[in-house]
Amino acid sequence: AQSVTQLDSQVPVFEEAPVELRCNYSSSVSVYLFWYVQYPNQGLQLLLKYLSGSTLVKGINGFEAEFNKSQTSFHLRKPSVHISDTAEYFCAVLNNFNKFYFGSGTKLNVKP
Amino acid sequence: GAVVSQHPSWVICKSGTSVKIECRSLDFQATTMFWYRQFPKQSLMLMATSNEGSKATYEQGVEKDKFLINHASLTLSTLTVTSAHPEDSSFYICSSRQGETQYFGPGTRLLVL
């Protein structure tokens, strides 16, 4: 079965520092990859997605992610975070059986 | 991206009553919508897939008689929590897929007293 692993449940970081949120998935076939952000008491907002093409994907709010097929990873990065980036981030995979799988989420806490 | 709305955003009800949550796709027609449940500090759990004009497909362990889903039109799916109990208190989120991408509603917080 498909699985999505976000190893870090919480990531504390100071404002203006860089951050990387890790995501690994298990699959031997092609997948589509997504990162979503969830602010408190809100639904999920699409940050970025990888469907095909360039492995470096740029999203909203200055985030980017790199698809690494050999390491089955899709880590999310931002070179300089803001207080407003404090939220929970979910990695997701759509596999070739047309089913979405979510990671357990990483809570990003940006400190002043 | 596509816009999905949910109503209500908050609902508090007494134990034993039924609650209906609406999910609308505002700018595209959705033959399929998804209903998720999210417990505090946890990821989303897919409850069911709502299909326009036909019966919903429920995930294993989800009671279809407890969580009634109706997808009567291409823009509206409803989830009714019947005879709600305190353990049904949760955050319910719907989504719709456009191509390969899922777009989520803002969620409905249900509190059953």
Side-chain angles (χ1 to χ4, degrees):
Chain A
Q2 183 74 56
S3 70
V4 182
T5 303
Q6 291 180 246
L7 284 172
D8 307 304
S9 59
Q10 293 197 55
V11 172
V13 64
F14 286 105
E15 195 174 18
E16 296 184 7
V19 71
E20 178 180 84
L21 307 183
R22 297 181 292 169
C23 173
N24 288 86
Y25 64 94
S26 67
S27 177
S28 59
V29 296
S30 297
V31 295
Y32 300 120
L33 298 153
F34 306 81
W35 275 98
Y36 289 87
V37 59
Q38 185 180 33
Y39 298 101
N41 294 309
Q42 294 186 31
L44 275 68
Q45 180 182 359
L46 180 67
L47 265 182
L48 48 79
K49 59 185 175 183
Y50 172 79
L51 304 181
S52 65
S54 173
T55 56
L56 182 63
V57 180
K58 294 191 183 297
I60 61 170
N61 301 343
F63 283 93
E64 63 180 34
E66 184 152 22
F67 169 56
N68 189 318
K69 189 173 183 178
S70 62
Q71 296 187 4
T72 60
S73 69
F74 190 55
H75 300 332
L76 181 70
R77 302 187 185 101
K78 186 168 181 177
S80 175
V81 294
H82 301 291
I83 297 285
S84 58
D85 292 323
T86 295
E88 187 145 22
Y89 293 79
F90 291 94
C91 181
V93 166
L94 175 64
N95 68 6
N96 60 329
F97 294 103
N98 211 27
K99 210 157 186 185
F100 251 80
Y101 292 88
F102 287 90
S104 53
T106 297
K107 195 158 280 188
L108 176 64
N109 185 15
V110 182
K111 303 176 182 180
Chain B
V3 180
V4 179
S5 72
Q6 269 182 257
H7 178 80
S9 55
W10 278 87
V11 58
I12 301 174
C13 69
K14 291 182 180 180
S15 186
T17 60
S18 294
V19 174
K20 181 187 280 189
I21 303 170
E22 293 185 349
C23 176
R24 294 181 186 273
S25 60
L26 297 182
D27 53 357
F28 69 103
Q29 294 182 329
T31 55
T32 304
M33 290 186 175
F34 304 89
W35 286 96
Y36 291 84
R37 185 173 179 176
Q38 186 180 31
F39 291 102
K41 300 181 182 179
Q42 293 188 31
S43 187
L44 282 72
M45 181 193 80
L46 179 64
M47 297 174 66
T49 301
S50 168
N51 304 298
E52 188 268 336
S54 64
K55 290 183 180 179
T57 306
Y58 289 82
E59 295 298 303
Q60 195 171 12
V62 178
E63 299 176 58
K64 62 178 74 174
D65 296 328
K66 173 79 172 172
F67 300 99
L68 299 178
I69 290 173
N70 183 277
H71 195 151
S73 77
L74 288 171
T75 58
L76 174 64
S77 174
T78 60
L79 168 68
T80 301
V81 183
T82 62
S83 187
H85 291 286
E87 57 265 30
D88 298 324
S89 299
S90 193
F91 192 52
Y92 293 88
I93 307 175
C94 72
S95 76
S96 190
R97 190 176 293 173
Q98 194 174 42
E100 299 86 3
T101 305
Q102 278 205 162
Y103 295 94
F104 291 84
T108 297
R109 175 77 60 191
L110 171 63
L111 177 60
V112 184
L113 302 176

